Amino acid sequence: MSVSRWWWVVALGLGVTGCRTTGSAARPESSETGPVKQELQFDAVTVTADLELDKLNDEELFAGGTSAFAANDFKQAARYFGRLVDFHPNSQHRRASLYNAGLAHQRLKEWEEAWHRFSELADPARGQGDALDASFRVAETQYHLERYDEAIKVLTTVAEREDLPVNRRIEARVQQGVCELEAGRTDAAEATLRKAITSYEALADKDEVDDYFPAQAHFFVGELYRLHYENVKLDPAKGADKLAEELNYKAELLLSAQGHYLRSIRVGNGYWATAAGAQIGALYEDLYAQMVSSPAPSELNAEEAVVYRQELRKKIRVLLTKSINIYERTLETAERIGSQSAFVDRTRESLAKVKALLLADAEGEPVPAPPASEQEPHT
C-alpha cells in the first residue's frame, strides 16, 4: 500500500472511531425499562504504520527520497517523499516532495497516485515553476487514466494564458490536440494542432520553441489523415469504376498524411523524424497489402481476373520500393542521431519483411498478403 493510500486509511479509521458510540433513540423513555439504547458496530480497521520511516525527520526523509530517486528506486522514493508530504506539512521540502513523489509514481506507472500528488501542487490558471509543471503532469496522468475531458480542460487553460512563454503555450496546445484525438474529437483535434503549428510558423525566431512540440503537432495531423485513410475500404464488389474512385481517394489521403509526416521530419526533432518515417513506410506497405489481397472487380470473368491481377502487381510494385526507400532513410537518420524507440525497432522489422515481399514478387512467386502494420499507441 502506498503512503498516500495509507494516509487515507488513517483518516477513515479516525472517522470510524468518532462514530462508534452508543446513543439514545428518539423515542419516549419508559419508567419500567429505562431509555432504549442502540449500539452501532463497525468492522474493525487495522492501521499499519511505517515504523522504519516514523523515526526520521523531514530532512532525513527528503535526503532518503532524493537518494532513492537518483538510484532509480522509484518505489522507495515515493515512500520517502510521500511520508514527508503526509506527516510534515510545515517542512520547507514539502512542495518539492509533492512533485518528486508524483514523479516517482509516474515512473512506476501508478497514474492515480501520481495524479493525487501533482493535483495538490498544480495551478493551471496562475501557476509558475513547479505549479505550472505540475499542471502539465496532471494532464498527463489524466491522459493515461483516459480522463481526456479533464486533461483537455487543464491544457486549454494553460494554452490560453498570455502571461506564459510561447513555448509552454504551444506545448499545452499540442498536448490538448493529442487528448482531443484520443477522445475521438477529430475535427477539434485538427483545429487545435493546426493552431499550434500556426503559432510556431509565425515566430521570427523559432529557437524560442523546443522543436519537439511542432514536430509532434505535424506528426499527429498526419495521424488524423492516416485514420481517414484507414476508414476508406476497397470493395471490388461495387465494380471497377467505384473501386477506382475509392482507390484514388485513398491514395489522396495517403499523400496528405505523408505530407504532414514529411513536415514533421523537416522540423528536425530526432524522435518524431524517425516516428514519421516509420509511419510513411507503413502506409505504402499497407496500401500494397490491401491492393494485392483485394479480389478482382466483380464484373471480370476468371480469365480477365488473372490478367487484372498480373497487371496490378506490376503497377503497385513501386509501393514496395517506396516503402523500402523510406524505411532505409529512417534507419539511417536514427543511427546518425542515436535515436532508439519502438518506431525504430518496428521500422527495422518492417524493412526486412518488405524486402522479402519484393524479392518474392520479382521472382514471380505468390505473394502472401501481409497484415496491415500495427500502429503505435499515441504518447
Side-chain angles (χ1 to χ4, degrees):
M1 178 179 291
S2 70
V3 176
S4 59
R5 290 185 183 274
W6 178 83
W7 173 243
W8 287 114
V9 171
V10 172
L12 179 62
L14 292 175
V16 170
T17 301
C19 292
R20 189 172 183 174
T21 59
T22 57
S24 300
R27 61 180 65 183
E29 292 183 3
S30 165
S31 58
E32 297 179 359
T33 61
V36 177
K37 296 184 179 181
Q38 291 183 334
E39 183 172 310
L40 302 179
Q41 295 287 342
F42 294 88
D43 293 336
V45 175
T46 302
V47 177
T48 304
D50 195 332
L51 298 179
E52 180 184 348
L53 300 189
D54 184 54
K55 59 188 177 183
L56 302 182
N57 61 34
D58 63 323
E59 295 289 345
E60 292 167 326
L61 289 169
F62 189 74
T66 301
S67 177
F69 198 100
N72 295 325
D73 187 349
F74 302 116
K75 189 164 288 292
Q76 278 289 82
R79 178 173 166 238
Y80 275 81
F81 288 130
R83 176 78 185 189
L84 190 156
V85 168
D86 294 334
F87 290 92
H88 298 273
N90 298 319
S91 172
Q92 63 175 334
H93 300 300
R94 188 174 189 275
R95 286 181 64 85
S97 294
L98 261 177
Y99 192 85
N100 293 341
L103 282 180
H105 285 301
Q106 192 173 37
R107 297 292 180 87
L108 295 167
K109 301 188 186 305
E110 296 172 349
W111 304 114
E112 192 72 50
E113 291 84 351
W115 171 83
H116 172 68
R117 294 308 187 187
F118 288 130
S119 61
E120 184 177 343
L121 190 59
D123 183 358
R126 296 174 298 277
Q128 300 287 347
D130 285 348
L132 177 60
D133 291 341
S135 300
F136 280 97
R137 299 287 182 177
V138 163
E140 185 177 355
T141 57
Q142 298 284 41
Y143 170 87
H144 286 287
L145 291 166
E146 299 184 5
R147 299 171 185 163
Y148 302 121
D149 289 343
E150 290 86 343
I152 291 167
K153 183 178 179 180
V154 170
L155 292 164
T156 302
T157 299
V158 175
E160 293 176 352
R161 284 179 55 181
E162 295 295 331
D163 62 314
L164 292 179
V166 66
N167 187 58
R168 301 317 303 268
R169 285 184 277 137
I170 289 178
E171 177 184 0
R173 191 74 73 191
V174 173
Q175 304 307 335
Q176 175 192 339
V178 173
C179 289
E180 288 168 341
L181 177 58
E182 290 288 354
R185 305 180 199 170
T186 54
D187 291 343
E190 183 170 359
T192 299
L193 292 167
R194 288 188 182 278
K195 188 180 293 186
I197 291 168
T198 299
S199 297
Y200 172 71
E201 296 296 340
L203 292 174
D205 181 9
K206 291 183 172 52
D207 288 339
E208 292 181 51
V209 175
D210 186 338
D211 61 16
Y212 184 96
F213 303 111
Q216 185 183 23
H218 280 300
F219 178 88
F220 276 97
V221 176
E223 287 289 275
L224 282 164
Y225 280 93
R226 179 185 62 78
L227 292 173
H228 294 322
Y229 159 89
E230 288 184 348
N231 288 333
V232 178
K233 306 301 181 184
L234 301 179
D235 186 1
K238 296 178 181 178
D241 291 342
K242 185 63 176 177
L243 178 62
E245 180 183 328
E246 291 174 342
L247 183 56
N248 285 335
Y249 182 47
K250 197 171 182 69
E252 288 175 5
L253 292 171
L254 183 151
L255 292 174
S256 294
Q258 176 182 259
H260 289 286
Y261 288 137
L262 289 173
R263 291 184 185 97
S264 178
I265 291 171
R266 292 189 192 108
V267 172
N269 179 267
Y271 177 83
W272 291 114
T274 54
Q279 295 297 75
I280 294 171
L283 280 171
Y284 282 110
E285 183 185 344
D286 178 75
L287 183 59
Y288 174 87
Q290 289 197 42
M291 293 178 68
V292 81
S293 63
S294 178
S298 56
E299 64 263 40
L300 300 182
N301 59 37
E303 184 178 344
E304 291 170 335
V306 171
V307 174
Y308 164 82
R309 298 195 66 78
Q310 288 174 344
E311 292 301 313
L312 177 65
R313 285 178 58 181
K314 291 177 184 178
K315 291 183 180 297
I316 66 174
R317 188 177 298 167
V318 68
L319 296 174
L320 290 180
T321 59
K322 280 181 176 288
S323 182
I324 288 172
N325 182 47
I326 292 165
Y327 282 148
E328 287 179 338
R329 288 166 56 189
T330 299
L331 290 174
E332 288 171 3
T333 300
E335 184 176 347
R336 185 171 64 253
I337 65 177
S339 176
Q340 293 293 330
S341 70
F343 285 109
V344 176
D345 295 337
R346 197 188 73 192
T347 298
R348 193 172 288 110
E349 294 171 1
S350 296
L351 176 60
K353 180 175 67 176
V354 175
K355 282 184 174 181
L357 283 171
L358 183 61
L359 180 62
D361 188 72
E363 293 175 351
E365 298 175 1
V367 181
S373 297
E374 182 180 352
Q375 301 301 325
E376 287 294 316
H378 301 149
T379 61

